[in-house]
Amino acid sequence: MDESYIAVNQVSFAYPTADTTAEQIRLALNHVNLAVRPGEFVAVLGMNGSGKSTLARHLNALLLPRDGTVLVDGMDTREEKQLWAIRDRVGMVFQNPDNQIVAAVVEEDVAFGPENQGRPPEEIRQRVAEALAAVGMSHMRERAPHLLSGGQKQRVAIAGALALRPACLVLDEPTAMLDPSGRGEVADVVHRLNRELGMAVVWITHFMEEAALADRVIVMADGQVQLEGPPRTVFNQADQLRAFRLDVPPAVSAAERLRAEGVPLPEGILTLQELVEALCQLRSAT
Amino acid sequence: MNLQAVTIGQYFPGDSYLHRLDPRTKLIAVLLLSVAIFLPRYFPGYLLVALFTMIAVALSRVPVKFILRGLKPIMIFMAITVLFNAFLTPGEPLFQIGRWAITREGLVLSAVAAVRLVLLVVSASLLTLTTSPILLTDGLERLLRPLAPLGVPAHELALMMTIALRFIPTLVEEADRIMRAQEARGADFRSGSLINRAKGLIPVMVPLFVAAFRRADELATAMEARGYRGGTGRTKMKQLAFSGADYRAWAILVLFTVAVVGLRVTGRG
Ligand SMILES: Nc1ncnc2c1ncn2[C@@H]1O[C@H](COP(=O)(O)OP(=O)(O)O)[C@@H](O)[C@H]1O
Ligand SMILES: [Mg+2]
């Protein structure tokens, strides 16, 4: 518990509704527990409406828990005087790349965060240069965002979060609106930040292959954490995943069907490559 | 209609003396000039103001056709002003058209009104032609900042302009996309009566507005997530700085203002 950077303890949350028939309140989060350790890459999976975004917004005090607590670097998100300190530590990137870029020039947008913090111009410049370099967008710093590709816009949004020098980056379905090449671009950048800067990452997605690369996977349904563990363990619970209406990774379901047909494949196959290797081994063994 | 062709403002990128001036200098200059345009009474005063404006046009190195293009939208307005002045000013009649007469005094007033209007529009166009919208926003914010204690929302206005600059192209793109999708389904935005065409736009405007409200909501959340807490305590990465060019411009502006006021006060211009 003490080693976690973000600690979500028994958090429940309900959105305010028009009719307040008290007992009928639908919990968007229902006693959720989650720990994010420094430098860890956590993927959060779950179908639409399972509460992923609601959880994400609790991690930097955009929403405050109705019950339970969220601690960021030891600070309770409900304490108002720590609000800005918390937002400096947990950067957030959203789904729609168009709706999170504020300024009409890339570098001015990246500067938005440190400008809010009231940093001296020289320091802002340096932070902007570093953040753009970290996402490989330095050469486009004077471009107009609307002329960039989806993947590039999303990298600008990541740079905007990085300029605050957060210890943790929360990305809420950052690839949902991108084409496959844009998805790869964004995933590569975030994995590099995680590896090279030791930045903790909470990556919300509904793409299995993206979650497969995480250190740990959380599966949400109905506002609750249903499954949790390393990708290999979680993805091999194919029946459970189907119960939560999630796709089973193609390699896992192929292996499952082959096993059902009597092919003696080992447990824990996750990627297509592993499946191919296992099949080749079987073949050379016979 | 290709909506992509719509540009915001009319910035004409360049590196002329006017381009290099600080946006605050240019804003003040346009303000002074628009007052100066209304000061003269006699020909020498008008000549001075017109010369000053023409020299500024020359210094901007913006092709004259771009500047004239800025006059197009006010042509109708100008025609009406000229006609009203020509016909409705009492005085010595020159021509008679039915029971309406054009008077000598009317012609003079018309000419004066036309000259003033043209100079006003040209000087304002020069500002937007030689200053990028972003610098213009910065300049405006810096000039208005001292008025913040009086309740002028300098930072908020500048932020609104920034966001507008950022989102106008996005919304234009989106409108274009929706229109094309509607056209593919048989909608017609090009022909028919004005009323029918306007009606045809409703299916475009509604989704556009719905999307714009969602965008605004998401943008506000994203801004909060990046620590936005209003204008107080905020700094800017890009600082505006006056240079030698600005000091020279100030000197010229002072001389110009003194000359215009002097002509007026001494009754010579
Ligand atoms: N702004 C809101 N107002 C009311 N209800 C909301 C709001 N946002 C989400 N919800 C509801 O909360 C639940 C969880 O939503 P969300 O966290 O957005 O899920 P996810 O991100 O996994 O799709 C859903 O039932 C959704 O309808
Ligand atoms: Mg969501």
Side-chain angles (χ1 to χ4, degrees), chain A residues 57 60 62 84 87-88 92 94 96-105 107-121 124-125 128 145-146 160-161 164, chain B residues 4 8 134 138 155 159 162-167 169-170 173 211 214-230 232-239:
Chain A
R57 280 157 200 231
N60 72 346
L62 286 172
W84 307 117
R87 298 219 173 124
D88 293 350
M92 192 157 302
F94 299 88
N96 189 329
D98 268 324
N99 299 353
Q100 51 188 323
I101 296 178
V102 186
V105 180
E107 63 175 357
E108 301 227 354
D109 183 73
V110 177
F112 184 72
E115 285 181 345
N116 289 335
Q117 291 179 325
R119 304 205 169 265
I124 299 177
R125 241 168 229 298
V128 168
H146 74 275
L164 289 162
Chain B
Q4 307 284 352
I8 336 133
I134 291 159
D138 280 358
H155 162 72
L159 185 68
T162 302
I163 292 175
L165 288 174
R166 156 73 189 85
F167 278 94
T170 305
E173 254 170 53
R214 202 196 51 237
R215 282 181 198 286
D217 202 36
E218 290 183 20
L219 187 69
T221 309
M223 284 166 61
E224 255 192 276
R226 285 160 77 184
Y228 181 68
R229 61 200 90 161
T232 34
R234 211 170 177 274
T235 49
K236 297 282 283 176
M237 173 173 74
K238 288 199 176 137
Q239 301 293 94

Side-chain angles (χ1 to χ4, degrees), chain B residues 40-239:
Chain B
R41 284 281 168 81
Y42 306 108
F43 185 72
Y46 286 112
L47 190 67
L48 179 60
V49 175
L51 265 179
F52 186 84
T53 311
M54 279 181 325
I55 291 172
V57 169
L59 281 177
S60 75
R61 303 234 194 94
V62 177
V64 174
K65 71 165 193 247
F66 275 89
I67 293 166
L68 294 182
R69 200 177 286 172
L71 289 173
K72 239 188 239 165
I74 62 151
M75 277 313 189
I76 295 180
F77 183 65
M78 200 149 93
I80 293 173
T81 316
V82 166
L83 283 179
F84 266 73
N85 276 313
F87 280 104
L88 298 182
T89 315
E92 175 192 336
L94 290 181
F95 316 103
Q96 196 83 25
I97 302 172
R99 46 198 211 72
W100 301 98
I102 294 182
T103 61
R104 174 191 292 282
E105 287 79 359
L107 269 191
V108 172
L109 269 187
S110 292
V112 166
V115 166
R116 283 180 173 165
L117 212 56
V118 167
L119 290 181
L120 210 56
V121 172
V122 167
S123 59
S125 316
L126 267 187
L127 173 66
T128 53
L129 282 165
T130 62
T131 319
S132 81
I134 291 159
L135 278 178
L136 204 56
T137 307
D138 280 358
L140 211 59
E141 178 173 13
R142 287 294 300 276
L143 281 181
L144 291 178
R145 203 182 285 168
L147 302 180
L150 305 176
V152 176
H155 162 72
E156 286 77 5
L157 282 175
L159 185 68
M160 275 163 59
M161 270 173 72
T162 302
I163 292 175
L165 288 174
R166 156 73 189 85
F167 278 94
I168 285 170
T170 305
L171 292 179
V172 166
E173 254 170 53
E174 191 166 27
D176 213 19
R177 202 171 53 237
I178 297 172
M179 278 170 89
R180 268 193 230 141
Q182 304 275 9
E183 273 176 331
R185 284 187 238 151
D188 185 1
F189 301 109
R190 280 168 235 272
S191 51
S193 71
L194 204 59
I195 292 178
N196 273 337
R197 268 189 278 173
K199 266 193 196 149
L201 280 178
I202 293 176
V204 178
M205 297 315 282
V206 170
L208 199 60
F209 268 86
V210 171
F213 277 109
R214 202 196 51 237
R215 282 181 198 286
D217 202 36
E218 290 183 20
L219 187 69
T221 309
M223 284 166 61
E224 255 192 276
R226 285 160 77 184
Y228 181 68
R229 61 200 90 161
T232 34
R234 211 170 177 274
T235 49
K236 297 282 283 176
M237 173 173 74
K238 288 199 176 137
Q239 301 293 94

Side-chain angles (χ1 to χ4, degrees), chain A residues 85-275:
Chain A
I86 288 170
R87 298 219 173 124
D88 293 350
R89 283 166 173 74
V90 182
M92 192 157 302
V93 176
F94 299 88
Q95 178 173 7
N96 189 329
D98 268 324
N99 299 353
Q100 51 188 323
I101 296 178
V102 186
V105 180
V106 165
E107 63 175 357
E108 301 227 354
D109 183 73
V110 177
F112 184 72
E115 285 181 345
N116 289 335
Q117 291 179 325
R119 304 205 169 265
E122 235 357 88
E123 191 190 334
I124 299 177
R125 241 168 229 298
Q126 196 187 338
R127 281 172 174 247
V128 168
E130 274 171 27
L132 282 173
V135 299
M137 289 289 290
S138 303
H139 58 299
M140 302 214 167
R141 66 177 193 281
E142 296 194 333
R143 291 284 182 88
H146 74 275
L147 298 176
L148 303 179
S149 74
Q152 290 171 332
K153 282 182 204 168
Q154 213 53 314
R155 277 150 68 196
V156 171
I158 293 170
L162 287 182
L164 289 162
R165 300 209 175 129
C168 177
L169 209 51
V170 178
L171 303 102
D172 189 355
E173 304 202 37
T175 57
M177 299 181 75
L178 305 182
D179 60 15
S181 82
R183 287 215 290 274
E185 244 173 76
V186 171
D188 286 349
V189 161
V190 174
H191 277 284
R192 200 156 40 73
L193 293 173
N194 173 249
R195 247 187 350 259
E196 290 173 9
L197 303 179
M199 184 159 311
V201 173
V202 177
W203 178 282
I204 296 171
T205 184
H206 57 252
F207 293 108
M208 293 296 147
E209 62 273 26
E210 288 176 1
L213 299 172
D215 297 326
R216 200 149 54 92
V217 176
I218 312 277
V219 176
M220 292 194 65
D222 282 331
Q224 288 179 305
V225 174
Q226 305 283 2
L227 294 175
E228 180 174 358
R232 203 168 296 279
T233 322
V234 168
F235 288 147
N236 274 289
Q237 295 167 276
D239 294 334
Q240 294 255 47
L241 290 180
R242 286 196 192 96
F244 302 127
R245 295 214 255 145
L246 288 171
D247 298 325
V248 176
V252 172
S253 81
E256 198 183 29
R257 262 182 282 163
L258 285 169
R259 268 184 227 113
E261 294 289 330
V263 182
L265 283 171
E267 289 293 321
I269 287 172
L270 193 56
T271 63
L272 277 178
Q273 177 151 12
E274 288 170 2
L275 178 62

Side-chain angles (χ1 to χ4, degrees), chain A residues 48-64:
Chain A
N48 269 343
S50 58
K52 305 182 297 294
S53 299
T54 309
L55 176 61
R57 280 157 200 231
H58 276 79
L59 303 184
N60 72 346
L62 286 172
L63 293 176
L64 300 178

